[in-house]
Amino acid sequence: MGIDIRHNKDRKVVRKTPRSTDIYVQLLVKLYRFLARRTGSGFNRVVLKRLYMSRSNRPPLSISALYKNMNKEDRKDKTAVVVGTITDDKRFVKVFPKMSVCALHVTEGARARILKAGGTILTLDQLAQMYPKGENTVLMSGPRKAREVYRHFGAAPGVPHSSTKPYVRSKGRKFERARGRR
């Protein structure tokens, strides 16, 4: 008698197309799919993979993080590339340096600060025309684990040495105050 093979775990969950219906994202996918195939460049393959990603896997990058990553001697004349959003950071009070930046989206405040410093903001299709193989670029992404939901992951709350945040409606006298907590 043969063994019946279970096929319910066969499917690999890897995106081959973006879930987005945005026509501009779909045109970028068409462009970078061509570049990844024809140039053999790892940069284009990574950009294409990131264009497929969900929004929670394309977290925003603040201009303070952008400054920290680009403020190195070997990165002065390179273009910062973010497949996602670049956001302003009110806590960042230093003078923002002149910088060339490429992103899917740049918020109004971040755009104003980059342009005020004499920097340039490119779209991904403009970048493909300037650097088809991704040369002179620094590819970066935002902090993926910064979402609040990650605080609830890990060893159960209340277990020794666990700093996992419990899902509690409120932090009052009547909420999850068993003998170990009072």
Side-chain angles (χ1 to χ4, degrees), residues 126-137:
Q126 288 170 326
L127 182 85
Q129 285 181 316
M130 287 171 69
Y131 308 114
K133 288 185 175 178
E135 59 274 19
N136 294 321
T137 59

Side-chain angles (χ1 to χ4, degrees), residues 1-181:
M1 207 166 110
I3 298 166
D4 189 19
I5 300 167
R6 291 167 64 219
H7 292 286
N8 62 338
K9 300 275 195 290
D10 284 0
R11 183 170 152 278
K12 294 237 186 314
V13 185
V14 180
R15 284 194 181 183
K16 299 290 183 200
T17 54
R19 190 72 61 86
S20 169
T21 54
D22 185 343
I23 55 170
Y24 298 109
V25 170
Q26 289 180 344
L27 282 169
L28 283 173
V29 164
K30 199 177 266 194
L31 169 65
Y32 275 92
R33 197 177 274 155
F34 172 81
L35 287 172
R37 190 178 78 243
R38 293 296 293 270
T39 62
S41 158
F43 172 85
N44 290 327
R45 278 201 306 276
V46 173
V47 170
L48 179 64
K49 187 178 76 177
R50 289 187 186 178
L51 283 169
Y52 294 156
M53 286 181 180
S54 61
R55 271 184 66 179
S56 59
N57 287 321
R58 287 187 285 108
L61 185 79
S62 67
I63 59 165
S64 54
L66 189 69
Y67 171 79
K68 198 165 74 177
N69 282 326
M70 295 301 285
N71 196 28
K72 294 184 171 74
E73 216 38 62
D74 59 331
R75 296 180 180 179
K76 288 283 185 226
D77 305 322
K78 294 187 175 181
T79 303
V81 182
V82 180
V83 185
T85 305
I86 295 174
T87 55
D88 194 11
D89 192 350
K90 295 275 188 268
R91 300 164 300 180
F92 183 72
V93 290
K94 291 180 187 167
V95 177
F96 197 74
K98 184 179 178 182
M99 193 182 290
S100 181
V101 166
C102 171
L104 272 180
H105 179 233
V106 182
T107 62
E108 215 172 302
R111 185 177 293 275
R113 282 179 82 167
I114 292 165
L115 294 176
K116 187 182 173 189
T120 54
I121 299 170
L122 303 169
T123 57
L124 283 164
D125 52 309
Q126 288 170 326
L127 182 85
Q129 285 181 316
M130 287 171 69
Y131 308 114
K133 288 185 175 178
E135 59 274 19
N136 294 321
T137 59
V138 180
L139 188 59
M140 53 187 84
S141 60
R144 211 174 280 195
K145 297 245 170 134
R147 284 168 58 222
E148 201 274 339
V149 71
Y150 283 99
R151 294 180 187 184
H152 299 283
F153 298 163
V159 168
H161 313 300
S162 165
S163 59
T164 307
K165 188 178 180 182
Y167 286 107
V168 187
R169 185 158 45 108
S170 188
K171 200 176 158 74
R173 174 185 58 83
K174 301 181 287 189
F175 302 96
E176 292 200 10
R177 287 284 178 266
R179 279 284 164 245
R181 295 184 174 270

